[in-house]
Amino acid sequence: MNDLKKIETKPDEWEALKAFTNARIALGRTGVSVPLKESLQFKLAHAHAKDAVYSHLQVDELLTSLSSTSLPIHYVKSQASNRDIYLQRPDLGRLLDESSTNQIQQLGSPPADISIIVADGLSATAINKNAAEVVDLLVRKGRQAGYSFAPIMLVEQGRVAITDAIGGLLRPRLAVMLIGERPGLSSFDSIGAYITYAPQPGLTDERRNCISNIREQGLPPVMAVDKLMYLIDSAFRLQLTGVALKDNDEGGFLATSTPDSGP
């Protein structure tokens, strides 16, 4: 036993690059394999991602935290009645159920400049953790710019395109959807923000703009809201969103088509 050589982990020449990314690079190696520590961390990250997909909105806590905006908040649901159906039938996550449709129809709210929609998407964990701060900042900066806001919609089992169903009822000039993005192995708590000018049923995804990876370890909420305000101002000026709306700001965190965060 004393003659056995100690197995050493050899460092990776890319080690210095780890300061710039959370991606799995420069893991080192033990023999021909990755070190046990890195293998276990990969399994843990995979578990976090799976848990995020099946996480649930903390509705009571969200209703309380979102109330800081002083806007009415309404909790609605898609036609996907549970998580398994939501994952198997994306089309149902894009439509409001009958009760929610009736609820919104009865509001009688006059059309506003901006409708904020918050949906669980593929990571309710992301919404539970980050949405309240983003919404609060967006409402404050939007009001400073003179914009009016519709009641906030908190959606369970929702996908991006449910924006159009809600927009057809509320008739805002523009909708901002905050949704939990598909978890990755280095980020399971990331929000995507989708902006749609004149939302209504029948739109396709090239009519939206997306800001991705909103979280403290990615694009921090303060920077994300600054980018959102830039795009909102541009959308109102040009009366459009989507592939025709280009990002000329120096921040550069814009996608002009929608990654599958749950459309």
Side-chain angles (χ1 to χ4, degrees), residues 68-234:
S68 64
T69 63
S70 301
L71 290 170
I73 307 164
H74 297 276
Y75 172 52
V76 297
K77 298 181 180 181
S78 76
Q79 292 183 13
S81 57
N82 59 57
R83 201 60 175 170
D84 287 334
I85 292 176
Y86 174 84
L87 295 173
Q88 296 168 16
R89 292 286 307 274
D91 57 315
L92 297 182
R94 299 173 183 134
L95 301 171
L96 289 165
D97 68 10
E98 183 177 358
S99 175
S100 298
T101 299
N102 293 335
Q103 179 182 343
I104 297 174
Q105 286 175 332
Q106 293 170 8
L107 293 180
S109 301
D113 292 322
I114 300 172
S115 172
I116 297 177
I117 303 163
V118 181
D120 45 8
L122 290 169
S123 176
T125 298
I127 295 299
N128 296 334
K129 185 175 179 180
N130 300 306
E133 182 179 2
V134 176
V135 171
D136 183 69
L137 287 168
L138 179 59
V139 172
R140 283 199 279 126
K141 293 202 171 189
R143 283 172 170 161
Q144 290 172 3
Y147 297 129
S148 61
F149 286 87
I152 295 172
M153 295 292 147
L154 179 61
V155 186
E156 184 177 26
Q157 313 293 8
R159 291 184 179 266
V160 171
I162 205 168
T163 297
D164 302 333
I166 293 173
L169 298 172
L170 290 179
R171 294 176 291 118
R173 293 175 64 200
L174 178 144
V176 177
M177 159 70 85
L178 302 177
I179 190 167
E181 294 187 305
R182 177 191 286 121
L185 291 176
S186 60
S187 60
F188 61 90
D189 57 354
S190 176
I191 287 179
Y194 292 80
I195 309 166
T196 309
Y197 185 81
Q200 57 186 305
L203 296 185
T204 49
D205 285 342
E206 88 282 353
R207 296 282 296 274
R208 314 184 206 281
N209 293 94
C210 172
I211 300 173
S212 188
N213 196 31
I214 301 173
R215 60 191 185 109
E216 285 299 335
Q217 294 76 25
L219 180 61
V222 172
M223 294 179 65
V225 172
D226 285 343
K227 177 63 66 175
L228 276 170
M229 290 304 303
Y230 168 82
L231 292 174
I232 289 169
D233 292 340
S234 299

